[in-house]
Amino acid sequence: MTHPWGDGSDTEAPTAINAGVTLVEGSTFCISDVSGAITPNRAAGLFVRDTRVLSYWRLTVDGLEPQPLTLRYDEPYSATLLARTAPRAGTADSTALVIIGRHVGDGMREDLVVRNLSSVPLDCTIRLELDADFADLFEVKEGRTGREQVVVTAARATDGAIQISREELGMAVTVSGSSATASGRELCWQVSLPGRGEWSTCIEYLPALGTDIAPPRYPCGTPVNRSAPAQRLREWYANSPTVHTEDETLASVLQRTLTDLGALRIFDPDHPERAVVAAGAPWFMALFGRDSLLTSWMVLPLDRRLAVGTLQSLADLQGKKVHATTEEQPGRIPHEVRFGRAATLLLGGGTAYYGTADATPLFVMLLGELYRWGLDARIRDELLPHADRALEWIERYGDADGDGFVEYQCAAEHGLANQGWKDSWDGVNFADGTLPEAPIALAEVQGYVYAAYLARATLAAGTGDHQAAERWRGKAAQLKTAFNEAFWLPDKGWYAIGLDRDKRPIDALSSNIGHCLWTGIIDDDKAARVADHLLSPEMFSGWGIRTLATSMGAYNPVSYHNGSVWPHDNAICAAGLMRYGFTDHANRVVSAVLDASTRFGYRLPELFCGFDRAEFDIPVPYPTSCSPQAWAAAAPLLFLRTLLRLEPSVPEGVLSVAPVVPARYLPLRVGGLRVGSNVLSVTVDAEGWQVRGLSGDLRRTEH
């Protein structure tokens, strides 16, 4: 059976949370139960710009809540909920069907339909009870709001509409329903239906957060499929590559990747042409430096515009001054951007938090990689000064003690103690499980800096500045030498995860060393031992590479960073293994993680537990894993690129490709790959492989 990838058909939106419904569009999301109901004492509601603008929603027909029948996801931002009214006294069957079409985006629209299923007339009263507490997203997520918390809101009813406001915050939401009677916090309709008759109404939820009032995304009376979100998704699907394979797992996981990444895009209202990818639904629908940069890198075979938008948006937010509360420093790329009240208070009145050691070199890395895939010279020149400011941060603030390595140490009262991708409080530890003292220089961060130097050299060569290119290549070589001397543990055969305050190697065996393979900072004569450790029984669970070896003191298979399996981490490790020529190692990782996807509906979660496949023949879910999550959703794209060994260099007019695809995925055809101005297809079967679509400005080479 052949499976096309790229048409957007037969897809679902972000999955339910706790048997509920989650809809996402940009930074707006709505979480409810399967009936559509929302209660304030749960992590549910309609959220706009990190603020809960709807905390209570209850629909009744003649005083009773309809009984849910089924749910259909139409798009990531839309769902249709079907329910029936309770059977009337003395009857076995329901007499009415209730249909709720819910669509989110800068607010919400609902199309409510009641259909009389009987041949006799039906009179009923429909009530919609509503409330809003305007709680901050973090208050809701962490359970710090609900019935126990007293929130004073005002309600005002007008003709067919109610407005609920929290005056001290300058926030309000207006809910209007066609032909409704409004009273207090309730809309009411008196409905009379003939036999087999149908009644419908449209309800709009329009938030006003301070001076920020967005026009309705789906005005009543306008087809939802003509909205901007619908048009953008159609364009996303139409311009996406296609993959044909006999393997159902690979085809299904790539289809899921396409759908989820389309849902996780955020569009800047000040720059509507600019798209970035949010970190994950529903709680992380925001721009994250590290997450968005790595995801954009993985997505390059699918779409280069996400990388452009992410770089431009982060450049706008790049640090300009020293500010301890937010950990902002000149040239530093932010870790996270938020708009809610709790985040603003946490960040000393700002919206961006800068406490990350890796986003800044990743910014330069992504710019260099985007240039290799094909980047407009105008955008390159616009972003180059920001890359140089990032490199200045690396050498001045990132390397505060001047030893040549980038370190981190939290400067904010509520900031992150660990500022690499394993940013939980205990995510970095010695082999015996003890925690190091900061400042800490992480191994993979040095790899990112090494790759950033090389990226800047490539960019300099592209502008004709060969002297600068040589200088940056020299810096990279110097760092590589120093790294291999300071981080290599010859008695163990792996690299330290980092150096502590006293420059002692933090000697735990972790997946971070796979990132070092990916960047190329590892000496060739040490790579084989690293590769074998990554695929050793201590590190490889059978479902993927663990974040921490089972032999380490802090190992816990049900931990966040100390023994779990992260798909994006595995994708980077697989790419690193392939870079150094360990094709069998890389293919084992790819196949293991793709096998795990079958147990998650082909949607790779943020992480799952690190139990061994020999012990449990299914991957064990991690309790609070995000799904969909951006770099997990994008990981299959990096897997695919790794299997194809696809490495373009548009400035040099070269496309390097030499597929090493396991037989289970053959025959494989990937079409619609955009490299520079070329639209390529790669076909691999048991007889060999071929590339089509190359123009005169791009020639093919082999590894």
Side-chain angles (χ1 to χ4, degrees):
M1 182 168 57
T2 299
H3 299 261
W5 171 55
D7 62 0
S9 61
D10 299 323
T11 59
E12 294 182 4
T15 53
I17 292 181
N18 297 330
V21 183
T22 302
L23 301 176
V24 176
E25 203 291 307
S27 59
T28 302
F29 64 92
C30 182
I31 304 174
S32 70
D33 67 20
V34 292
S35 70
I38 296 168
T39 53
N41 60 331
R42 294 183 57 195
L46 173 65
F47 294 82
V48 177
R49 291 178 65 85
D50 294 344
T51 301
R52 183 160 68 174
V53 300
L54 189 65
S55 58
Y56 184 72
W57 186 102
R58 180 174 183 260
L59 181 77
T60 60
V61 178
D62 288 338
L64 299 175
E65 296 183 16
Q67 301 170 347
L69 293 173
T70 191
L71 163 70
R72 184 189 73 198
Y73 283 108
D74 304 309
E75 295 291 358
Y77 53 82
S78 292
T80 302
L81 296 79
L82 272 65
R84 68 168 191 168
T85 58
R88 300 200 172 209
T91 65
D93 296 320
S94 171
T95 56
L97 177 71
V98 178
I99 306 171
I100 304 165
R102 179 173 283 178
H103 323 282
V104 303
D106 288 340
M108 189 165 71
R109 165 179 159 182
E110 290 175 332
D111 297 308
L112 175 61
V113 176
V114 178
R115 183 180 301 165
N116 187 355
L117 302 176
S118 71
S119 58
V120 299
L122 171 67
D123 294 326
C124 62
T125 300
I126 299 173
R127 298 184 187 276
L128 180 57
E129 303 169 51
L130 305 162
D131 206 351
D133 59 4
F134 304 99
D136 181 86
L137 175 145
F138 292 102
E139 294 174 339
V140 178
K141 180 175 180 285
E142 296 166 10
R144 293 185 280 115
T145 186
R147 291 173 179 168
E148 295 78 12
Q149 183 179 21
V150 177
V151 175
V152 178
T153 59
R156 181 169 61 90
T158 58
D159 186 22
I162 58 175
Q163 183 185 72
I164 304 170
S165 61
R166 196 165 169 184
E167 295 179 358
E168 82 277 14
L169 300 178
M171 297 179 176
V173 61
T174 301
V175 185
S176 58
S178 57
S179 69
T181 300
S183 176
R185 291 174 170 80
E186 180 181 283
L187 296 177
C188 181
W189 295 266
Q190 299 294 335
V191 177
S192 295
L193 287 174
R196 314 296 182 192
E198 186 174 283
W199 169 90
S200 65
T201 189
C202 182
I203 307 161
E204 289 183 328
Y205 302 76
L206 304 177
L209 305 177
T211 58
D212 188 5
I213 303 175
R217 197 59 72 84
Y218 320 99
C220 287
T222 302
V224 172
N225 63 7
R226 294 183 187 174
S227 66
Q231 293 171 2
R232 287 197 294 253
L233 269 182
R234 284 195 294 270
E235 180 188 0
W236 174 257
Y237 294 138
N239 292 327
S240 296
T242 57
V243 173
H244 296 269
T245 175
E246 297 292 331
D247 185 80
E248 183 177 358
T249 298
L250 180 60
S252 298
V253 76
L254 286 170
Q255 180 63 68
R256 177 67 72 184
T257 284
L258 175 67
T259 306
D260 286 347
L261 289 173
L264 290 171
R265 293 176 303 157
I266 299 175
F267 292 83
D268 186 341
D270 296 328
H271 302 278
E273 79 290 348
R274 185 185 295 180
V276 302
V277 62
W283 303 110
F284 299 101
M285 292 304 296
L287 178 63
F288 278 66
R290 175 194 312 119
D291 300 59
S292 298
L293 288 164
L294 282 173
T295 302
S296 297
W297 180 297
M298 296 179 186
V299 173
L300 284 171
L302 169 61
D303 186 272
R304 298 198 300 268
R305 293 168 297 177
L306 276 178
V308 173
T310 295
L311 289 168
Q312 290 174 329
S313 297
L314 290 172
D316 289 347
L317 294 162
Q318 191 171 24
K320 296 179 175 62
K321 62 182 183 296
V322 175
H323 189 245
T325 305
T326 63
E327 301 202 52
E328 179 182 359
Q329 293 167 335
R332 197 174 197 180
I333 298 299
H335 167 64
E336 179 179 1
V337 181
R338 288 291 191 180
F339 297 98
R341 288 180 297 107
T344 301
L345 290 172
L346 174 67
L347 301 176
T351 58
Y353 171 63
Y354 291 80
T356 172
D358 51 15
T360 306
L362 285 169
F363 178 92
V364 185
M365 280 181 65
L366 180 60
L367 180 59
E369 184 71 3
L370 181 58
Y371 178 62
R372 293 177 62 224
W373 279 80
L375 176 64
D376 181 87
R378 178 186 59 81
I379 298 175
R380 177 200 64 192
D381 294 343
E382 164 199 322
L383 290 170
L384 269 177
H386 295 279
D388 287 336
R389 291 181 59 212
L391 291 165
E392 289 171 7
W393 176 86
I394 286 171
E395 298 190 331
R396 179 178 177 185
Y397 296 96
D399 181 16
D401 61 5
D403 69 342
F405 300 128
V406 170
E407 302 96 1
Y408 64 82
Q409 182 170 21
C410 180
E413 180 182 356
H414 300 288
L416 292 170
N418 283 315
Q419 299 188 353
W421 86 262
K422 295 177 180 176
D423 56 8
S424 52
W425 67 274
D426 61 347
V428 179
N429 45 72
F430 285 96
D432 63 4
T434 58
L435 301 181
E437 293 191 49
I440 294 171
L442 287 175
E444 77 273 17
V445 171
Q446 315 318 311
Y448 301 157
V449 173
Y450 168 78
Y453 287 159
L454 291 179
R456 187 62 184 91
T458 299
L459 291 162
T463 60
D465 191 348
H466 299 290
Q467 184 176 358
E470 279 301 311
R471 179 164 54 86
W472 290 113
R473 279 193 285 267
K475 284 180 174 289
Q478 183 179 4
L479 175 59
K480 183 172 184 176
T481 299
F483 172 81
N484 282 276
E485 290 176 354
F487 283 75
W488 177 245
L489 305 172
D491 57 325
K492 297 180 181 294
W494 65 73
Y495 288 84
I497 188 176
L499 305 179
D500 74 355
R501 178 189 63 182
D502 301 317
K503 308 302 178 184
R504 292 185 304 159
I506 306 168
D507 58 349
L509 174 56
S510 70
S511 62
N512 300 55
I513 58 179
H515 294 231
C516 297
L517 286 173
W518 179 55
T519 62
I521 198 172
I522 286 179
D523 283 341
D524 289 345
D525 63 350
K526 301 176 179 66
R529 294 184 72 184
V530 171
D532 287 344
H533 275 301
L534 288 173
L535 272 295
S536 68
E538 291 79 19
M539 286 294 290
F540 189 66
S541 73
W543 299 114
I545 297 170
R546 298 180 178 96
T547 50
L548 189 68
T550 59
S551 53
M552 298 295 104
Y555 171 73
N556 179 349
V558 195
S559 68
Y560 196 56
H561 286 135
N562 288 325
S564 52
V565 175
W566 289 62
H568 92 280
D569 185 36
N570 276 258
I572 290 173
C573 289
L577 289 163
M578 192 68 82
R579 174 177 185 149
Y580 280 80
F582 301 105
T583 57
D584 290 342
H585 292 67
N587 286 347
R588 282 183 66 196
V589 175
V590 172
S591 295
V593 178
L594 291 180
D595 285 348
S597 76
T598 64
R599 301 292 183 164
F600 297 104
Y602 302 106
R603 169 182 283 148
L604 288 170
E606 178 186 19
L607 72 156
F608 49 90
C609 295
F611 294 107
D612 201 274
R613 190 170 183 170
E615 181 179 10
F616 300 112
D617 62 358
I618 58 171
V620 178
Y622 183 78
T624 58
S625 176
C626 282
S627 185
Q629 200 253 8
W631 58 19
L637 290 170
L638 187 53
F639 283 147
L640 185 64
R641 178 179 171 182
T642 296
L643 296 178
L644 295 177
R645 295 203 289 181
L646 180 67
E647 297 296 333
S649 181
V650 170
E652 297 176 332
V654 170
L655 174 71
S656 176
V657 57
V660 185
V661 181
R664 61 183 285 187
Y665 304 125
L666 299 179
L668 173 67
R669 182 182 182 276
V670 185
L673 292 167
R674 288 170 170 79
V675 180
S677 60
N678 298 263
V679 182
L680 308 177
S681 67
V682 181
T683 303
V684 189
D685 56 31
E687 304 301 320
W689 56 272
Q690 57 184 334
V691 178
R692 292 190 176 93
L694 289 170
S695 63
D697 61 351
L698 198 64
R699 69 184 188 281
R700 192 194 76 204
T701 65
E702 297 182 19
H703 284 257

